[in-house]
Amino acid sequence: MPRKEHAISRRQISDNAIKVLYRLHKSGFKAYLVGGGVRDILLGLQPKDFDVVTNATPEEIKRLFRNCRLVGRRFRLAHIVFGRDVIEVATLRGHHVDSGEKISKTNESGRLLRDNVYGNIDEDAERRDFTINALYYDISDFSIHSYGGGLQDLASRTIRLIGDPQTRYREDPVRMLRAVRFATKLDMTIEAKAAEPIKGLAGLLKDIPAARMYEEVLKLFFAGKAQQNFDMMREFGLFEPLFPMVESLLNEYPNGETSKLMQEMMANTDERVAQDKPVTPAFFYAALLWYPLVQRADDIALESGLSSYDAYNAAMGDVMEQQCRTISIPRRFSTVTKDIWQLQLRFDRNKGTKAFRFIEHPKFRAAYDLLLLRAHAEGGNVAKSAAWWKSFVEGSEDQRNVIARSANKGGRNRNSNQRRRRKPKAKPASKPAE
Ligand code: ATP
Ligand code: MG
């Protein structure tokens, strides 16, 4: 599609991406903007990032740019670094059928382990996931190259895989998650042929390296479409391989606490993203894994006879370790997740004058937010406790003094501690405080 028939102008592309495209072009190489950048501009959206492809090899790219870093094994890529902005430059990929193991490799289930065969633009297009992502903006004449009907699919809002869906999902099971993510992000429909095999192949996600999964989960839940992605992933059986502990509770109690907490948490996350408020994986995982943690703590207490406090601590480690087998949560977040869990125990014990110190804790706010979610999901004593804390948190200095003193007079702290010792098996954090 020539320049005069489409709406992409150079002004909509970042200066850094334009610089990279021109440097490649002027050095005699082909250079295209590709994928999400082209797709999103055509849809009238602001692209998240700009990806470039060229027929220059990574080594040739490195020679052209001083600010270039070569990265990746599965896909060898060049990163051109402009301060905090990074333009990803890939070399056009070719077919990998007859090539030796050194440059391309698949495992028994058909998953591509290495993929560094270079080719031309037609071959490169066939290797992309969806037709709407196989759009190339050519810097030499400002035309758009579309493959497999990408431009038509963009107009009819269809997510269509390039090639045979089964094969393409087996090559890279993450494409199933990407289908869901683009459907919700772009408000498109996954074509029937691409939707049909997902349920049967969802289990292949279990083999994806946990570090890559971590990145994919961020894209699914921190980009403003958490609720829709959650619902759709469950519908397609894609939630289970990622979060087996959560899925088993959702399955067992379809309208239970876990389900209520999930819905509320996803909606809150989307609202925060919409308002440009920060969202953190630490809180996300604390809420997501809350009921698996409670259940695990109960089981440990029952099996081992440990005190509820010790069982709870052991369960925190267990649940986190089990989740990290599928999704590697960086330690800087998982330690905060555990802090948030640990602090849930203090809501019952620290009513009264101790509350003044508790609310100064750096993670109080996150812990309190989880308490509110639990209160909505469970009602009952947790809701009562949450209501006490809400009035304390939102009260003026004077009101706080009155609230704290009346709690102390009622002897809440002593009572709840005594009961804790007598009934070690009870859920520690949902302890009533009469
Ligand atoms: P966004 O950046 O908005 O998430 P995107 O389409 O740019 O969307 P990226 O992950 O940045 O997605 O990938 C850039 C391009 O690389 C895609 O548009 C697609 O053409 C190709 N691509 C990415 N991941 C895959 C994959 N798993 N299989 C095949 N092609 C892929
Ligand atoms: Mg992108």
Side-chain angles (χ1 to χ4, degrees), residues 84 95-96 102 121 161 195 212 230 236 253 288 322 327 350 357 368 393 397 401:
R84 294 182 63 183
H95 296 295
H96 46 82
K102 267 208 171 126
I121 186 169
L161 272 171
R212 184 171 178 214
F230 171 68
F236 278 113
Y253 313 103
L288 191 83
Q322 204 175 331
I327 300 169
N350 289 6
R357 249 193 55 207
Y368 171 67
V393 167
E397 198 59 33
N401 277 320

Side-chain angles (χ1 to χ4, degrees), residues 96 101 104-114 171:
H96 46 82
E101 268 221 346
S104 124
K105 189 170 190 269
T106 60
N107 72 358
E108 329 70 77
S109 67
R111 183 157 67 88
L112 271 171
L113 300 177
R114 204 168 299 129
E171 270 175 14

